[in-house]
Amino acid sequence: MNEQASTASAASDEAAQYLTVNLGNEEYGVDILAVREIRGWTPVTRIPQAPSYVLGVLNLRGAIVPVLDLRLRFGLAREEYTATTVCVIVMVAGRQFGVVVDAVSDVVDVAPGAVRPVPDMGTTVDTEYLKGLTSVGERMVLLLDVDRLLQPQDAQMLEAALASPEVKAVA
């Protein structure tokens, strides 16, 4: 019994890894366990009547994957896509979706005790999408709650829209 308790305690004390990504001057962390792959930006197929932050869908080895622009999701101005713009494919609740970000940085280890609650700090991002923040060296990293990026109603709308023949490629 004590062995089980110490095993559970050791598991909760282990550092989690986060892929850090950039949006403008801010750095965000995405739980590495949710990340499936990182792709360079390629045009997607637009979905009619999708929310503005849903760029469309891409065919990922036979799976249709919705793609969100994280800048638009957070209410930031859209920027030109450059050579550093990437689409991070994440898996949440058995569903894959892509998140377009300005760039990826690195992978960092974050100890559970190093995660601080998100204060009302006037960041440009609605704190509902954040599960905490941490310091990595001199940098502040905002930890994303990827479960909240694609709302259930958005997922239902996308599935319904995929049946529509009104799709076209966008750049």
Side-chain angles (χ1 to χ4, degrees), residues 10-39:
S12 66
D13 292 341
E14 292 181 20
Q17 291 189 313
Y18 289 86
L19 173 70
T20 59
V21 300
N22 297 92
L23 284 181
N25 295 325
E26 295 182 337
E27 191 171 18
Y28 297 89
V30 179
D31 187 339
I32 199 79
L33 296 177
V35 175
R36 294 298 175 250
E37 70 180 82
I38 301 168
R39 302 170 48 96

Side-chain angles (χ1 to χ4, degrees), residues 33 40-41 49 61 69 81 85 103 118 126 137 142 145:
L33 296 177
W41 167 251
Q49 301 178 349
R61 295 177 291 279
D69 185 314
Y81 294 160
T85 303
V118 180
D126 188 342
L142 303 165
D145 187 346

Side-chain angles (χ1 to χ4, degrees), residues 54-85:
V54 177
L55 299 177
V57 293
L58 62 84
N59 184 337
L60 185 65
R61 295 177 291 279
I64 303 301
V65 177
V67 177
L68 316 177
D69 185 314
L70 203 53
R71 283 182 160 275
L72 299 178
R73 182 69 173 130
F74 290 167
L76 304 172
R78 183 174 181 173
E79 294 286 329
E80 266 317 298
Y81 294 160
T82 67
T84 64
T85 303

Side-chain angles (χ1 to χ4, degrees), residues 44-57 66-68 72 150 153-162 164 166-167:
V44 297
T45 302
R46 194 161 65 187
I47 301 296
Q49 301 178 349
S52 63
Y53 59 87
V54 177
L55 299 177
V57 293
V67 177
L68 316 177
L72 299 178
L150 188 62
Q153 64 271 17
D154 295 336
Q156 290 173 352
M157 181 281 307
L158 287 169
E159 287 181 16
L162 287 175
S164 171
E166 301 175 35
V167 292

